[in-house]
Amino acid sequence: MFARPAVAARSAVFVQSRNMATLKEIQVRLKSVTNISKITASMKMIASTKTTRAQRAMNVARLYGKVSNDFVKQAEVEKAADAKELLVTVSSDKGLCGGIHSSLSRQSRKYLAENPEAPLVVLGDKAKVQLQRAYPNNIRYSFSQLGS
């Protein structure tokens, strides 16, 4: 007669109350939060390294572009009377920068609307896919996977 209430009282201590986490569950959650924070910290460090590398490359390219622009200005090259025009659109093959690809394609379509006979060379798959819909006959060459 006394054995049953003692068993019931003992099991009630370990039974989880409604919507309350047990100590074990809280420890597991805390451990996962600390692991996630460690992963986030390492991702930040990697992103910082990649950003620094990209900025260094951008500064070198900026110098090259400045020298190239100065050369073109000093060369005083004029467009020939019977010169042909070629539109070159440069984008990437993959990635999550859809706004850039859309802007490139929009400007290319605007140019091709004004010059419907202009040949088109596309570098990168993203712009190629977008421009093929509107101007498939203008695309003369297409290149992809140049940077890999």
Side-chain angles (χ1 to χ4, degrees):
M1 181 169 153
F2 293 111
R4 280 196 164 176
V7 171
R10 180 182 282 170
S11 64
V13 172
F14 298 108
V15 173
Q16 175 179 337
S17 299
R18 184 180 301 186
N19 297 330
M20 296 293 289
T22 62
L23 181 61
K24 178 86 172 169
E25 290 174 341
I26 292 173
Q27 288 173 338
V28 168
R29 287 183 190 170
L30 283 173
K31 187 174 181 181
S32 68
V33 168
T34 55
N35 288 342
I36 290 171
S37 67
K38 288 178 184 178
I39 291 169
T40 305
S42 64
M43 289 173 69
K44 283 181 183 178
M45 197 165 49
I46 292 168
S48 172
T49 304
K50 287 184 176 182
T51 302
T52 304
R53 187 181 305 141
Q55 286 176 340
R56 256 189 258 129
M58 182 182 66
N59 288 336
V60 170
R62 185 175 287 152
L63 289 173
Y64 174 76
K66 184 179 178 197
V67 170
S68 177
N69 286 341
D70 290 344
F71 175 76
V72 170
K73 286 178 185 176
Q74 290 177 359
E76 297 178 4
V77 177
E78 293 183 14
K79 185 177 176 181
D82 60 341
K84 296 181 181 179
E85 293 186 359
L86 172 70
L87 177 62
V88 179
T89 303
V90 181
S91 71
S92 67
D93 293 327
K94 57 186 175 182
L96 299 174
C97 46
I100 293 172
H101 303 301
S102 298
S103 296
L104 285 168
S105 297
R106 188 179 316 115
Q107 292 299 318
S108 298
R109 284 192 305 268
K110 186 186 291 186
Y111 179 83
L112 289 171
E114 295 170 1
N115 306 304
E117 297 299 319
L120 174 63
V121 175
V122 183
L123 306 177
D125 285 335
K126 292 286 189 168
K128 177 187 172 190
V129 168
Q130 293 179 4
L131 291 171
Q132 258 183 338
R133 292 183 210 132
Y135 297 98
N137 297 331
N138 291 51
I139 297 177
R140 299 295 186 260
Y141 298 104
S142 174
F143 302 96
S144 62
Q145 298 181 1
L146 295 175
S148 22

Coordinates of all heavy atoms in Angstrom, one line a residue, residues 4-53:
R4 N 3.3 2.0 -3.8 CA 2.8 2.7 -4.9 C 2.9 4.2 -4.9 O 3.4 4.8 -5.8 CB 1.3 2.3 -5.2 CG 1.2 1.0 -5.9 CD -0.1 0.9 -6.5 NE 0.0 -0.2 -7.4 CZ -1.0 -0.6 -8.1 NH1 -2.2 -0.1 -7.9 NH2 -0.9 -1.6 -8.9
P5 N 2.5 4.9 -3.8 CA 2.7 6.3 -3.8 C 4.1 6.7 -3.9 O 4.5 7.8 -4.4 CB 2.0 6.8 -2.5 CG 1.0 5.7 -2.2 CD 1.6 4.4 -2.7
A6 N 5.0 5.9 -3.3 CA 6.5 6.3 -3.3 C 7.0 6.2 -4.8 O 7.8 7.1 -5.2 CB 7.3 5.3 -2.4
V7 N 6.6 5.2 -5.5 CA 7.0 5.1 -6.9 C 6.4 6.3 -7.7 O 7.1 6.9 -8.6 CB 6.6 3.7 -7.5 CG1 6.8 3.7 -9.0 CG2 7.3 2.6 -6.8
A8 N 5.2 6.6 -7.5 CA 4.6 7.7 -8.2 C 5.2 9.0 -7.9 O 5.4 9.8 -8.7 CB 3.1 7.7 -7.9
A9 N 5.6 9.2 -6.6 CA 6.3 10.5 -6.3 C 7.7 10.5 -6.9 O 8.1 11.6 -7.3 CB 6.4 10.5 -4.7
R10 N 8.4 9.4 -6.9 CA 9.7 9.4 -7.5 C 9.7 9.7 -9.0 O 10.5 10.4 -9.5 CB 10.4 8.0 -7.3 CG 11.8 7.9 -7.9 CD 12.4 6.6 -7.7 NE 12.8 6.5 -6.3 CZ 13.3 5.3 -5.8 NH1 13.2 4.2 -6.5 NH2 13.7 5.3 -4.6
S11 N 8.8 9.1 -9.8 CA 8.7 9.3 -11.2 C 8.2 10.7 -11.5 O 8.5 11.3 -12.5 CB 7.8 8.3 -11.8 OG 6.4 8.4 -11.3
A12 N 7.4 11.3 -10.6 CA 7.0 12.7 -10.8 C 8.1 13.7 -10.8 O 8.0 14.7 -11.4 CB 5.9 13.0 -9.8
V13 N 9.2 13.4 -10.1 CA 10.3 14.3 -10.0 C 11.0 14.4 -11.4 O 11.4 15.5 -11.8 CB 11.3 13.8 -9.0 CG1 12.6 14.6 -9.0 CG2 10.7 13.8 -7.6
F14 N 11.1 13.3 -12.2 CA 11.8 13.3 -13.4 C 10.8 13.6 -14.6 O 11.3 13.8 -15.7 CB 12.5 12.0 -13.6 CG 13.5 11.7 -12.6 CD1 13.3 10.8 -11.6 CD2 14.7 12.5 -12.6 CE1 14.3 10.6 -10.7 CE2 15.7 12.2 -11.7 CZ 15.5 11.3 -10.7
V15 N 9.6 13.7 -14.4 CA 8.6 14.0 -15.5 C 8.7 15.5 -15.9 O 8.7 16.3 -15.0 CB 7.2 13.5 -15.1 CG1 6.2 14.0 -16.2 CG2 7.1 12.1 -14.9
Q16 N 8.7 15.7 -17.1 CA 8.8 17.1 -17.6 C 7.4 17.7 -17.5 O 6.4 17.2 -17.8 CB 9.2 17.1 -19.1 CG 9.2 18.4 -19.7 CD 9.6 18.3 -21.2 OE1 10.3 17.3 -21.5 NE2 9.2 19.2 -22.0
S17 N 7.4 19.0 -17.0 CA 6.2 19.7 -16.9 C 5.8 20.2 -18.3 O 6.7 20.2 -19.2 CB 6.3 20.9 -15.9 OG 6.6 20.5 -14.7
R18 N 4.6 20.6 -18.5 CA 4.2 21.1 -19.8 C 5.0 22.3 -20.2 O 5.1 23.3 -19.5 CB 2.7 21.4 -19.7 CG 2.1 21.8 -21.1 CD 0.7 22.1 -21.0 NE 0.0 20.9 -20.5 CZ -1.4 20.9 -20.4 NH1 -2.1 21.9 -20.8 NH2 -2.0 19.8 -20.0
N19 N 5.5 22.3 -21.4 CA 6.2 23.4 -22.1 C 7.5 23.8 -21.3 O 8.0 24.9 -21.5 CB 5.3 24.6 -22.3 CG 4.2 24.3 -23.2 OD1 4.4 23.4 -24.1 ND2 3.1 24.9 -23.0
M20 N 8.0 23.0 -20.4 CA 9.2 23.3 -19.7 C 10.3 22.4 -20.2 O 10.1 21.2 -20.2 CB 9.0 23.2 -18.2 CG 8.0 24.2 -17.7 SD 8.6 25.9 -17.7 CE 9.9 25.8 -16.5
A21 N 11.5 22.9 -20.5 CA 12.6 22.1 -20.9 C 13.3 21.5 -19.8 O 13.4 22.1 -18.7 CB 13.6 22.9 -21.7
T22 N 13.8 20.3 -19.9 CA 14.6 19.6 -18.9 C 16.0 20.2 -18.9 O 16.4 20.9 -19.8 CB 14.6 18.1 -19.1 OG1 15.3 17.8 -20.3 CG2 13.2 17.5 -19.1
L23 N 16.7 19.9 -17.9 CA 18.1 20.3 -17.7 C 19.0 19.8 -18.9 O 19.8 20.5 -19.5 CB 18.7 19.9 -16.4 CG 20.1 20.3 -16.1 CD1 20.2 21.8 -16.1 CD2 20.6 19.8 -14.8
K24 N 18.8 18.6 -19.3 CA 19.5 18.0 -20.4 C 19.2 18.7 -21.7 O 20.2 19.0 -22.5 CB 19.1 16.5 -20.5 CG 19.8 15.8 -21.6 CD 21.1 15.2 -21.2 CE 21.6 14.3 -22.3 NZ 23.0 14.0 -22.1
E25 N 18.0 19.0 -22.0 CA 17.6 19.7 -23.2 C 18.2 21.1 -23.2 O 18.7 21.6 -24.2 CB 16.1 19.8 -23.3 CG 15.4 18.5 -23.6 CD 13.9 18.6 -23.6 OE1 13.4 19.6 -23.0 OE2 13.3 17.7 -24.2
I26 N 18.3 21.8 -22.1 CA 18.9 23.1 -22.0 C 20.4 23.0 -22.2 O 20.9 23.9 -23.0 CB 18.6 23.8 -20.6 CG1 17.1 24.1 -20.5 CG2 19.4 25.0 -20.4 CD1 16.6 24.6 -19.1
Q27 N 21.0 22.0 -21.7 CA 22.5 21.9 -21.9 C 22.7 21.6 -23.4 O 23.7 22.1 -24.0 CB 23.0 20.7 -21.1 CG 23.1 21.0 -19.6 CD 23.5 19.8 -18.8 OE1 23.3 18.7 -19.2 NE2 24.0 20.1 -17.6
V28 N 21.9 20.8 -24.0 CA 22.1 20.5 -25.5 C 21.9 21.8 -26.3 O 22.7 22.0 -27.2 CB 21.1 19.4 -25.9 CG1 21.1 19.2 -27.4 CG2 21.5 18.1 -25.3
R29 N 20.9 22.5 -26.0 CA 20.7 23.8 -26.7 C 21.8 24.8 -26.5 O 22.3 25.4 -27.5 CB 19.4 24.5 -26.2 CG 18.2 23.7 -26.7 CD 16.9 24.5 -26.3 NE 15.7 23.7 -26.5 CZ 14.5 23.9 -26.1 NH1 14.3 25.0 -25.4 NH2 13.5 23.2 -26.4
L30 N 22.3 24.9 -25.3 CA 23.5 25.8 -25.0 C 24.7 25.4 -25.8 O 25.4 26.2 -26.4 CB 23.8 25.9 -23.5 CG 22.9 26.7 -22.7 CD1 23.2 26.6 -21.2 CD2 23.0 28.2 -23.1
K31 N 24.9 24.1 -25.8 CA 26.1 23.6 -26.6 C 25.9 23.8 -28.1 O 26.9 24.3 -28.7 CB 26.2 22.0 -26.4 CG 27.5 21.5 -26.9 CD 27.6 20.0 -26.6 CE 28.9 19.4 -27.2 NZ 29.1 18.0 -26.9
S32 N 24.7 23.7 -28.6 CA 24.5 23.9 -30.0 C 24.7 25.4 -30.3 O 25.2 25.8 -31.4 CB 23.2 23.4 -30.5 OG 22.1 24.2 -29.9
V33 N 24.2 26.3 -29.4 CA 24.4 27.7 -29.6 C 25.9 28.1 -29.6 O 26.3 28.9 -30.5 CB 23.6 28.5 -28.5 CG1 24.0 30.0 -28.5 CG2 22.1 28.4 -28.8
T34 N 26.6 27.5 -28.7 CA 28.1 27.9 -28.7 C 28.8 27.3 -29.9 O 29.7 28.0 -30.5 CB 28.8 27.3 -27.4 OG1 28.5 25.9 -27.4 CG2 28.3 28.0 -26.2
N35 N 28.4 26.2 -30.4 CA 28.9 25.6 -31.7 C 28.6 26.5 -32.9 O 29.4 26.8 -33.7 CB 28.5 24.2 -31.9 CG 29.1 23.2 -31.0 OD1 30.1 23.5 -30.4 ND2 28.5 22.1 -30.9
I36 N 27.4 27.0 -32.9 CA 27.0 27.9 -34.0 C 27.7 29.2 -33.9 O 28.2 29.7 -35.0 CB 25.4 28.1 -33.9 CG1 24.7 26.9 -34.3 CG2 25.0 29.3 -34.8 CD1 23.2 26.9 -34.1
S37 N 28.0 29.7 -32.7 CA 28.7 31.0 -32.6 C 30.2 30.8 -33.1 O 30.8 31.6 -33.7 CB 28.7 31.5 -31.2 OG 29.3 30.7 -30.3
K38 N 30.7 29.6 -32.8 CA 32.1 29.3 -33.2 C 32.2 29.2 -34.8 O 33.1 29.8 -35.4 CB 32.6 28.0 -32.7 CG 32.9 28.0 -31.2 CD 33.4 26.7 -30.7 CE 33.6 26.7 -29.2 NZ 34.0 25.3 -28.7
I39 N 31.2 28.6 -35.4 CA 31.1 28.5 -36.8 C 31.0 29.9 -37.4 O 31.6 30.2 -38.4 CB 30.0 27.5 -37.3 CG1 30.3 26.1 -36.9 CG2 29.7 27.7 -38.7 CD1 29.1 25.2 -37.0
T40 N 30.1 30.7 -36.8 CA 29.9 32.0 -37.3 C 31.2 32.9 -37.3 O 31.5 33.6 -38.2 CB 28.8 32.7 -36.6 OG1 27.6 31.9 -36.6 CG2 28.4 34.1 -37.1
A41 N 31.9 32.7 -36.2 CA 33.1 33.5 -36.0 C 34.1 33.1 -37.1 O 34.8 33.9 -37.6 CB 33.7 33.3 -34.6
S42 N 34.3 31.8 -37.3 CA 35.2 31.3 -38.3 C 34.8 31.8 -39.7 O 35.6 32.1 -40.6 CB 35.4 29.8 -38.3 OG 34.2 29.2 -38.6
M43 N 33.5 31.8 -40.0 CA 33.0 32.3 -41.3 C 33.3 33.8 -41.5 O 33.6 34.2 -42.6 CB 31.5 32.0 -41.4 CG 31.1 30.5 -41.6 SD 29.4 30.2 -41.6 CE 28.8 31.0 -43.1
K44 N 33.2 34.5 -40.4 CA 33.5 36.0 -40.5 C 35.0 36.2 -40.8 O 35.3 37.0 -41.6 CB 33.2 36.7 -39.1 CG 31.7 36.9 -38.9 CD 31.5 37.6 -37.6 CE 30.1 37.9 -37.3 NZ 29.9 38.5 -36.0
M45 N 35.8 35.3 -40.2 CA 37.2 35.4 -40.4 C 37.6 35.1 -41.9 O 38.4 35.8 -42.5 CB 38.0 34.5 -39.5 CG 39.4 34.8 -39.3 SD 40.2 34.0 -37.9 CE 39.7 32.3 -38.1
I46 N 36.9 34.1 -42.4 CA 37.2 33.7 -43.8 C 36.7 34.8 -44.7 O 37.3 35.2 -45.7 CB 36.5 32.3 -44.1 CG1 37.2 31.2 -43.4 CG2 36.5 32.1 -45.6 CD1 36.4 29.9 -43.4
A47 N 35.5 35.3 -44.4 CA 34.9 36.4 -45.3 C 35.8 37.6 -45.2 O 36.0 38.3 -46.3 CB 33.5 36.8 -44.8
S48 N 36.4 38.0 -44.1 CA 37.3 39.1 -44.0 C 38.5 38.9 -44.8 O 39.0 39.8 -45.5 CB 37.7 39.3 -42.5 OG 38.7 40.3 -42.4
T49 N 39.1 37.7 -44.8 CA 40.3 37.4 -45.6 C 40.0 37.5 -47.1 O 40.7 38.1 -47.8 CB 40.8 36.0 -45.3 OG1 41.0 35.9 -43.9 CG2 42.0 35.6 -46.0
K50 N 38.8 37.0 -47.5 CA 38.5 37.0 -48.9 C 38.2 38.5 -49.4 O 38.6 38.9 -50.5 CB 37.2 36.2 -49.2 CG 37.5 34.7 -49.2 CD 36.2 33.9 -49.5 CE 36.5 32.5 -49.6 NZ 35.4 31.7 -50.0
T51 N 37.6 39.3 -48.5 CA 37.3 40.7 -48.8 C 38.6 41.4 -49.0 O 38.8 42.2 -49.9 CB 36.5 41.3 -47.7 OG1 35.3 40.6 -47.6 CG2 36.2 42.8 -48.0
T52 N 39.6 41.2 -48.1 CA 40.9 41.9 -48.1 C 41.6 41.5 -49.4 O 42.1 42.4 -50.1 CB 41.8 41.5 -46.9 OG1 41.1 41.8 -45.7 CG2 43.1 42.2 -47.0
R53 N 41.6 40.2 -49.8 CA 42.2 39.8 -51.0 C 41.5 40.4 -52.3 O 42.2 40.9 -53.2 CB 42.1 38.3 -51.1 CG 42.9 37.7 -52.3 CD 42.8 36.2 -52.4 NE 43.2 35.6 -51.2 CZ 42.6 34.5 -50.7 NH1 41.6 33.9 -51.3 NH2 43.0 33.9 -49.6

